[in-house]
């Protein structure tokens, strides 16, 4: 029944480690996104894929690399984690039709804590 | 560039009363879409209501309605008959011709019993 799912929901790790967050959607959507919500609750887009093609790549450190094996999955890999990477990361998906409302639906979020 | 401004960091309302959350935006595009999302303490981002800019009629969803003033670039959210479960952070968001959602900084709404 879950529309957009993320694993894990919580991730605690040491500085310098490499970690991945997985996202899956069962809505049949063509477009998926990663957002970062900082400690002040501000949400900012990081990446977006449409049918496995990268279409949005905001100013994000190269340590962050998204990977889309198919249009239902969008994973986020983070190398050499830093304290400032601590945040909640949200995955979202949308039908991908630019000409219509194209509402984005969000996953439950992954709270990443870097110690 | 798109910007979204929510000027009320926090608001409170008594249960059963009505409250209005403000949002203004700026975009150079003529065709765009506006959204309100809520984020309760559970952290889940939940769509509340959406509005297509080309539609003059204000969107409504049960107790939630918007006042969309295109010329003023204003998109406020009215919650009627407030319930305790409405306590959440509310985000106004704008999407233009690309897929990117630009969010405001949010308004923390507390509904008091």
């Amino acid at each position: 029944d879950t529309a957009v799912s993320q694993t894990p929901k919580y991730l605690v790790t040491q500085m310098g480690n490499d970690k991945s967050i997985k996202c899956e959607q069962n809505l049949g959507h063509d477009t998926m996104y990663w957002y970062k919500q900082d400690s002040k609750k501000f949400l900012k887009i990081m990446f977006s894929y449409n049918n496995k093609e990268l279409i949005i790549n905001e100013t994000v450190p190269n340590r962050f690399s998204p990977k889309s094996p198919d249009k239902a999955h969008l994973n986020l890999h983070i190398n050499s984690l830093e304290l400032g990477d601590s945040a909640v990361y949200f995955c979202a998906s949308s039908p991908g039709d630019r000409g219509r409302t194209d509402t984005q639906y969000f996953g439950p979020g992954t709270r990443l804590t870097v110690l | 560039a798109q910007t979204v401004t929510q000027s009320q960091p926090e608001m409170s309302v008594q249960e059963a009363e009505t409250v209005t959350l403000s949002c203004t935006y700026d975009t150079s595009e003529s065709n765009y879409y506006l959204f309100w999302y809520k984020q309760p303490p559970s952290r889940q981002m939940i769509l509340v209501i959406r509005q297509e800019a080309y539609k003059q009629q204000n969107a409504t969803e049960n107790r939630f309605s918007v006042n969309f003033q295109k010329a003023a670039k204003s998109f406020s959210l009215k919650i009627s008959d407030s319930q305790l479960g409405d306590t959440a952070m509310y985000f106004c968001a704008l999407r233009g011709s690309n897929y990117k959602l630009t969010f405001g900084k949010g308004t923390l709404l507390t509904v008091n019993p």
Side-chain angles (χ1 to χ4, degrees):
Chain A
D1 195 37
T2 304
V4 183
S5 60
Q6 293 178 229
T7 53
K9 286 199 170 66
Y10 298 93
L11 186 52
V12 181
T13 188
Q14 299 288 330
M15 253 188 344
N17 284 350
D18 302 339
K19 290 292 177 186
S20 292
I21 306 172
K22 295 186 177 181
C23 178
E24 177 181 2
Q25 54 95 4
N26 63 5
L27 297 167
H29 288 167
D30 283 345
T31 308
M32 296 184 73
Y33 312 79
W34 278 111
Y35 287 86
K36 179 180 180 180
Q37 186 174 43
D38 63 23
S39 57
K40 295 184 179 177
K41 302 286 189 182
F42 185 61
L43 273 153
K44 190 169 172 19
I45 190 158
M46 301 172 69
F47 302 103
S48 178
Y49 272 75
N50 177 261
N51 267 320
K52 301 195 297 174
E53 180 186 346
L54 182 66
I55 56 171
I56 295 175
N57 186 355
E58 293 291 286
T59 309
V60 176
N62 291 337
R63 299 181 295 102
F64 289 79
S65 54
K67 285 188 172 48
S68 182
D70 55 62
K71 73 175 192 177
H73 296 84
L74 179 62
N75 303 323
L76 182 65
H77 189 76
I78 315 170
N79 289 327
S80 303
L81 278 155
E82 299 177 357
L83 294 176
D85 298 332
S86 294
V88 179
Y89 293 86
F90 283 97
C91 176
S93 75
S94 71
D97 185 345
R98 291 188 184 203
R100 304 187 65 179
T101 311
D102 199 50
T103 301
Q104 294 182 23
Y105 296 92
F106 285 77
T110 296
R111 180 177 292 281
L112 171 65
T113 304
V114 182
L115 303 175
Chain B
Q2 299 172 168
T3 60
V4 177
T5 302
Q6 292 179 250
S7 58
Q8 306 150 316
E10 292 187 39
M11 293 190 74
S12 63
V13 65
Q14 291 299 121
E15 201 175 1
E17 293 188 348
T18 295
V19 64
T20 299
L21 309 183
S22 301
C23 173
T24 58
Y25 61 91
D26 194 20
T27 178
S28 58
E29 300 192 35
S30 57
N31 194 22
Y32 51 90
Y33 306 89
L34 294 158
F35 304 84
W36 279 97
Y37 284 86
K38 68 181 274 190
Q39 186 178 37
S42 67
R43 186 172 84 204
Q44 179 75 49
M45 290 288 290
I46 302 165
L47 176 70
V48 175
I49 200 164
R50 60 190 168 198
Q51 173 86 40
E52 293 89 345
Y54 60 83
K55 289 188 178 176
Q56 291 188 334
Q57 187 173 7
N58 289 326
T60 63
E61 287 285 342
N62 301 315
R63 298 182 296 106
F64 299 88
S65 61
V66 298
N67 183 2
F68 174 47
Q69 301 289 328
K70 191 170 184 178
K73 295 186 176 176
S74 169
F75 183 62
S76 60
L77 174 70
K78 186 170 88 169
I79 306 174
S80 304
D81 186 26
S82 297
Q83 300 175 359
L84 296 178
D86 295 334
T87 291
M89 182 76 89
Y90 286 80
F91 293 97
C92 179
L94 166 71
R95 184 182 76 83
S97 58
N98 59 23
Y99 294 100
K100 185 166 66 173
L101 265 181
T102 300
F103 284 90
K105 292 188 176 181
T107 296
L108 179 61
L109 176 67
T110 303
V111 181
N112 298 310

